[in-house]
Amino acid sequence: MVKLAEWRGKEIFRKYGIALPQGHVARSAEEATSLVSEGKVPLPCVIKAQVLAGGRGKGGAVRFASNDEEVRAAAAAILGLEFKGEKVKEILLEGKVAIDRELYVSLTLDRTLRLPILLASAKGGVEIESVPDEQILRQPIHPFAGLAQYEKRRAAAFLGLTGGPAKSLGPLLDSLWAAFNGEDAELVEINPLAVVGDRVIALDAKVIIEDDATFRHPEYAEVRDDRTPLEEIAREKEIAFVQLDGNIGVIANGAGLTMATLDVLMQFGGRPGVFLDLGGTDDPAKVAEAFLLMAKAKPTAVFLNIFGGVTRCDTVAKGLVNAMEKLPAQDRFPLVARIRGNNESEGVEILRAAGITSIPDLKASAEAAVRAAATRAVAAQGRTA
Amino acid sequence: MTVLIDADTRVVVQGITGHQGTVHTHQMKLFGSKVVAGVTPGKGGTTVEETPVYDSVQEAVDRKQANASCIFVPAPFAKDALIEAVDAGIRLSVVVTEHIPFHDMLVMYHYARARGARIIGPNCPGIAAPGAPSKVGIIPNVVFRPGRVGVISRSGTLTYEIVNGIREIGLGQSTCIGLGGDPVVGTSFVDGLELFEKDPDTDLVVMVGEIGGTAEEDAADYIRHHFTKPVVAYIAGRAAPPDKRMGHAGAIITRGRGTAQSKQTALEGAGVRVGRFPYEMPQLVADVLKEKAHR
């Protein structure tokens, strides 16, 4: 999931011909001021923090300015903010527009229908989750037929648009549909879509690009900024790796089994820290890399839970033993292993030779992992006391 | 009887010369599947695992009467591979390939549907019927035993875990379908339940779900109104943090729906027994079968 900041979303909108206020992005108060003094952004203007979290208006991350000095002050104030844990590094300056009405439109996927769906509401400018169902138009769109004229007319009628604004909605929805498909988006959302005079224009842009489609869109490769540094390294190595608050590292294969493993650990009072999904691999070197990555997260103990399919048990065992040999003594962690499935006996034998016992029962192995973490945590406390 | 595949299923492996294609052709044959052909454009005339390789699916159909395909080709080419299979008259394609953009899958799904073909997957372990015996996909052979329990799962390895547990307590499976965990799947829980409802050799269905999406809630709705056999379910991800990506695009919690709790509530409301942990599932299956026998 590649969530794009508003200004990047608007760059895409511009490319597809969606009407927008005149605006530019800035990274310092000086840059902001010169955008205004050079006439690239008209006054009065709105200045918006380019963060991914919502609720910017209420949170002081959107301000208005009507002269150079106010622009400088507002820009400086917003650029200093930390908004919902995210440091503001970029701001978007746009000419203020006279809004008649605020609407909502988006395109996303309806998994149940297995169709793209157009959502529209006359209640724009608020979180769509808070809008009652009957006030949201849900129009599925068949990918082979595309957006039909009648669907656009229905949307305009549902939004209560007539005249110029109704006429301008059709081309805007065509552009949004083209952007949704052309950019392989999971979501393209305009909230609010503003009625300004005789047309509708996009005041905000929320675009989420699908991860799996980035092979068609290398331009989004470096736009991912919602990861921790270790998560970023994992991504480069194509290992699914998520950091949580706990202290037990979890290595499993497959999303479902990984989640089930967390469920079982929590049941026995364990707190999963990092979890790492090996996915399908039969390369011991990749398994070893995963373990070394896990060591960097400094887990109190590690629970390895593998059901061998594509990822064979002996591959995992070899990788694990290689990694353990490479780890300096102070970075080693207590390990509880459970390996089942393809090539189980070979894997168990490799582990046994390295002094690691595989516990075949899921419940017993999870309990052992929780115990190992608790024992080590107590021991560490004893040392610092 | 089985669901979707049987002893007459003749498999063509698309992408057979790739590593996974070759490995799993071998495994499918060991299981007892009739893997009659492979396809890799440009490699026609060669053989892999004693299986003839053709340049096109049409040749595999014409010469070897292939009637199902197993797709291993890389994600950027998967859409083309599926369309080729459908056009050659293949009516069942198991798409093992992961990381297919859902925009491609939308086209694949609706194309197949319009032509009367079915997709299982993508990003799925496939389907196996141990009694046939026949397997199209990558589920490890060792977990199965012929029996009367149907399995439908969104997961891969977690399916193996639970199917293996069922085997270990002495029960067996009629057919096991791994749906795949992607946002758009060719065969959903509801589709799978429809098939098992009609299968006289399935007594009970095990559903293995996970957080994200509303496929389990949809299934609960279907079970309440249309399904007459007992269902037991497990939902992975009760401990998962909201909004953290768990590996599948499908496994994201959004808007309060799609949580483990909402799925469990919906399923229990439809009379489904929901196990809390994978290791509870085999006994739950045995208990429900026993109750059914006493009724």
Side-chain angles (χ1 to χ4, degrees), chain A residues 112 114 185 212 253 263 338, chain B residues 99 103 110 157 161 185 218 239:
Chain A
T112 302
R114 293 177 265 210
D212 287 340
N253 61 327
D263 293 347
R338 172 181 184 260
Chain B
H99 299 307
H103 282 274
H110 290 286
T157 46
E161 174 84 45
V185 289
D218 297 340

Side-chain angles (χ1 to χ4, degrees), chain A residues 293-314:
Chain A
L293 196 63
M294 176 58 83
K296 286 194 181 131
K298 307 236 172 285
T300 308
V302 168
F303 181 32
L304 172 77
N305 185 19
I306 299 295
F307 209 107
V310 169
T311 306
R312 297 189 323 257
C313 292
D314 54 335

Side-chain angles (χ1 to χ4, degrees), chain A residues 30-353:
Chain A
E30 291 68 38
E31 198 184 346
T33 319
S34 56
L35 281 172
V36 172
S37 57
E38 288 163 20
K40 287 181 179 161
V41 174
L43 285 172
C45 72
V46 56
I47 302 170
K48 305 201 256 185
Q50 296 300 289
V51 288
L52 297 173
R56 290 178 300 176
K58 286 180 208 145
V62 176
R63 292 175 191 232
F64 294 91
S66 47
N67 59 50
D68 287 15
E69 207 30 61
E70 284 178 22
V71 168
R72 179 186 301 278
I78 295 176
L79 281 165
L81 279 179
E82 192 173 302
F83 188 77
K84 296 184 183 173
E86 194 180 341
K87 268 219 153 66
V88 180
K89 293 177 193 149
E90 294 163 333
I91 49 175
L92 178 66
L93 293 89
E94 286 182 336
K96 203 177 162 195
V97 294
I99 303 167
D100 299 324
R101 286 179 62 203
E102 292 189 332
L103 315 169
Y104 173 96
V105 294
S106 70
L107 286 164
T108 188
L109 170 72
D110 186 316
R111 293 183 186 192
T112 302
L113 297 176
R114 293 177 265 210
L115 287 171
I117 189 162
L118 167 70
L119 303 178
S121 175
K123 292 266 191 283
V126 296
E127 296 220 351
I128 192 67
E129 286 87 342
S130 67
V131 177
D133 271 352
E134 65 275 13
Q135 293 181 30
I136 301 173
L137 172 74
R138 296 163 176 274
Q139 176 65 59
I141 302 163
H142 199 287
F144 296 169
L147 197 53
Q149 292 297 337
Y150 90 89
E151 290 167 342
K152 292 179 272 182
R153 286 197 298 269
R154 177 183 284 173
F158 188 87
L159 295 174
L161 296 178
T162 53
K167 231 177 248 167
S168 74
L169 181 72
L172 179 132
L173 291 179
D174 284 333
S175 298
L176 198 63
W177 173 248
F180 179 68
N181 291 297
E183 303 298 313
D184 283 295
E186 287 180 26
L187 173 74
V188 286
E189 181 184 78
I190 307 178
N191 187 22
L193 175 72
V195 178
V196 177
D198 63 351
R199 60 180 193 149
V200 288
I201 70 172
L203 291 196
D204 200 354
K206 188 169 174 188
V207 177
I208 301 177
I209 306 295
E210 194 197 358
D211 261 337
D212 287 340
T214 45
F215 71 85
R216 283 198 280 256
H217 304 280
E219 67 273 22
Y220 299 127
E222 63 268 23
V223 191
R224 303 147 183 270
D225 34 20
D226 51 349
R227 292 190 175 90
T228 66
L230 283 180
E231 287 175 354
E232 189 53 39
I233 297 172
R235 186 188 71 81
E236 282 163 18
K237 299 191 188 295
E238 295 185 349
I239 298 164
F241 178 101
V242 176
Q243 277 179 296
L244 307 178
D245 299 333
N247 60 355
I248 303 178
V250 175
I251 302 178
N253 61 327
L257 185 62
T258 306
M259 286 191 280
T261 307
L262 301 189
D263 293 347
V264 175
L265 281 174
M266 303 261 291
Q267 168 69 8
F268 295 113
R271 291 185 303 117
V274 161
F275 74 83
L276 194 155
D277 173 2
L278 285 178
T281 177
D282 46 13
D283 179 6
K286 189 176 164 191
V287 176
E289 273 184 354
F291 271 89
L292 295 171
L293 196 63
M294 176 58 83
K296 286 194 181 131
K298 307 236 172 285
T300 308
V302 168
F303 181 32
L304 172 77
N305 185 19
I306 299 295
F307 209 107
V310 169
T311 306
R312 297 189 323 257
C313 292
D314 54 335
T315 306
V316 174
K318 272 182 215 155
L320 188 157
V321 171
N322 288 348
M324 285 304 205
E325 280 166 1
K326 276 187 207 154
L327 274 182
Q330 71 272 15
D331 288 347
R332 292 198 189 155
F333 38 75
L335 177 89
V336 175
R338 172 181 184 260
I339 55 174
R340 305 292 313 266
N342 276 350
N343 296 19
E344 178 175 326
S345 51
E346 293 90 331
V348 168
E349 196 40 54
I350 293 167
L351 290 186
R352 199 199 318 274

